[in-house]
């Protein structure tokens, strides 16, 4: 990579435009991508890339000297922004505090989601596969599938949790199930895609970010039961959590962006997993009577 001197005339709009041209993905008719908060004419001092621009991540971005934050997921709690009018009408204090911080520090927030997924291979899937030590099978049409085995579902789930920092990861299925091929459906991609991947003959286990429990996880539980009773192919599901499942994909975007704009400092800021595990509280041993 060739490093060029910092360009004091590069605006946030030009930065996003140059990245879109380099990515060369046909834009969706309706997209969530683009500059969603702040002045597009802002001169870029530094860029911070993250999976999710939480308030704490925005604070770290400012501390790192960045005034443009690239986030894969929405900063305003709704994928398409449909809930924002209600939050504004309610005078929601959390959204108001976040917007005040952005305004006070002159930040620009750039959403980079659709085009990165539409890249081939999918940028999120490729980054996550690399983090897991796997490679995407180019011959697996219509899905991201990795050769991983042989291993077991229990071992695979533990590996996913450790490698992705997924502290609330869970799995569905027989822990001793033999696994050779894994399908990736990261982030939140919906029941239709999840179940289609679970049904594929060339997939033993599906790793998702998050899913509705009464849909994907219930379906996976029944599929696993059919497998353990000899009435179907053994199947398993690993639920890593939304942010951990896409974190490495955002890190890959940061690496890619450094090559696109080598004259601008680009920092990757990992977002924390959104929840903590609720460990059971140990009860003191009961004293014997008498």
């Amino acid at each position: 990579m060739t490093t060029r001197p910092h360009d004091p005339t590069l605006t946030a709009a030009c930065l996003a435009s140059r990245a879109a041209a380099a990515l060369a993905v046909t834009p969706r008719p309706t997209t969530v991508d683009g500059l969603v908060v702040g002045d597009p004419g802002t001169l870029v001092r530094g860029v911070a890339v993250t999976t999710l621009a939480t308030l704490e991540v925005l604070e770290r971005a400012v501390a790192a000297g960045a005034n443009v934050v690239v986030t894969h997921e929405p900063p305003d709690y709704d994928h398409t922004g449909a809930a924002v009018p209600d939050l504004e009408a309610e005078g929601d204090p959390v959204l108001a505090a976040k917007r005040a911080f952005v305004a006070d520090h002159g930040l620009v927030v750039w959403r980079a989601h659709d085009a990165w997924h539409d890249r081939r291979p999918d940028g999120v899937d490729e980054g996550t596969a690399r983090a897991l030590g796997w490679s995407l099978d180019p011959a697996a049409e219509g899905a991201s599938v990795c050769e991983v085995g042989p291993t077991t579902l229990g071992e695979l789930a533990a590996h996913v949790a450790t490698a992705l920092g997924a502290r609330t990861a869970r799995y569905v299925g027989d822990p001793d199930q033999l696994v050779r091929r894994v399908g990736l459906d990261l982030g939140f991609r919906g029941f239709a895609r999840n179940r289609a991947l679970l049904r594929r003959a060339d997939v033993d286990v599906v790793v998702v970010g998050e899913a509705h429990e009464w849909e994907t996880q219930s379906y996976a539980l029944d599929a696993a039961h059919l497998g353990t009773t000899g009435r179907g192919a053994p199947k398993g599901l690993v639920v890593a959590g939304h942010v951990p499942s896409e974190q490495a994909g955002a890190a890959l975007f940061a690496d890619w962006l450094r090559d696109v704009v080598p004259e601008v400092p680009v920092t990757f800021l990992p977002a924390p997993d959104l929840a903590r595990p609720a460990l059971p509280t140990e009860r003191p041993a009961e004293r014997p009577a008498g």
Side-chain angles (χ1 to χ4, degrees):
M1 181 181 72
T2 302
T3 302
R4 291 182 287 192
H6 177 73
D7 181 0
T9 67
L10 183 68
T11 65
C14 289
L15 173 70
S17 178
R18 193 195 297 183
L23 197 53
V25 171
T26 302
R28 299 183 188 182
T30 302
T31 182
V32 298
D33 289 357
L35 304 180
V36 294
V37 182
D39 180 2
T42 298
L43 297 177
V44 181
R45 297 193 307 272
V47 179
V49 178
T50 189
T51 313
L52 178 62
T54 65
L55 183 54
E56 184 268 342
V57 168
L58 293 174
E59 292 169 349
R60 282 193 279 137
V62 170
N67 65 336
V68 174
V69 177
V70 185
T71 181
H72 186 69
E73 298 301 354
D76 49 14
Y77 320 114
D78 189 285
H79 180 63
T80 62
V84 172
D86 288 340
L87 290 166
E88 292 174 339
E90 295 163 6
D92 185 85
V94 177
L95 180 64
K98 196 171 195 178
R99 286 187 170 178
F101 182 86
V102 169
D104 291 347
H105 292 86
L107 297 179
V108 175
V109 180
W110 164 21
R111 182 96 185 270
H113 181 278
D114 292 350
W116 195 236
H117 275 303
D118 292 344
R119 168 187 183 264
R120 289 296 172 265
D122 181 308
V124 170
D125 293 355
E126 182 182 11
T128 299
R130 288 186 187 183
L132 290 165
W134 305 340
S135 296
L136 297 175
D137 181 357
E141 296 183 3
S144 293
V145 178
C146 305
E147 191 85 27
V148 302
T151 185
T152 66
L153 174 56
E155 291 169 343
L156 181 88
H159 172 62
V160 169
T162 301
L164 301 185
R167 56 188 180 184
T168 59
R170 297 176 290 171
Y171 72 95
V172 175
D174 178 0
D176 295 323
Q177 177 195 331
L178 185 64
V179 179
R180 290 190 174 91
R181 287 173 66 82
V182 176
L184 301 179
D185 225 17
L186 310 174
F188 180 78
R189 303 193 185 186
F191 181 39
R193 282 186 50 151
N194 295 164
R195 70 176 183 267
L197 196 51
L198 279 162
R199 285 201 302 258
R200 285 179 64 124
D202 61 342
V203 167
D204 302 314
V205 172
V206 174
V207 176
V208 303
E210 62 174 306
H212 291 151
E213 293 187 3
W214 70 90
E215 294 176 341
T216 298
Q217 286 170 247
S218 174
Y219 182 89
L221 190 67
D222 284 344
H225 180 69
L226 289 172
T228 56
T229 57
R231 290 176 286 169
K235 294 290 178 177
L237 176 75
V238 179
V239 183
H242 197 120
V243 168
S245 78
E246 297 196 300
Q247 190 97 269
L252 182 61
F253 184 90
D255 292 340
W256 173 84
L257 188 62
R258 291 187 187 102
D259 288 335
V260 175
V261 283
E263 72 273 29
V264 173
V266 176
T267 303
F268 174 66
L269 298 179
D273 199 346
L274 296 178
R276 301 177 187 273
L279 299 177
T281 302
E282 292 186 5
R283 295 184 178 181
E286 293 185 4
R287 291 185 177 183

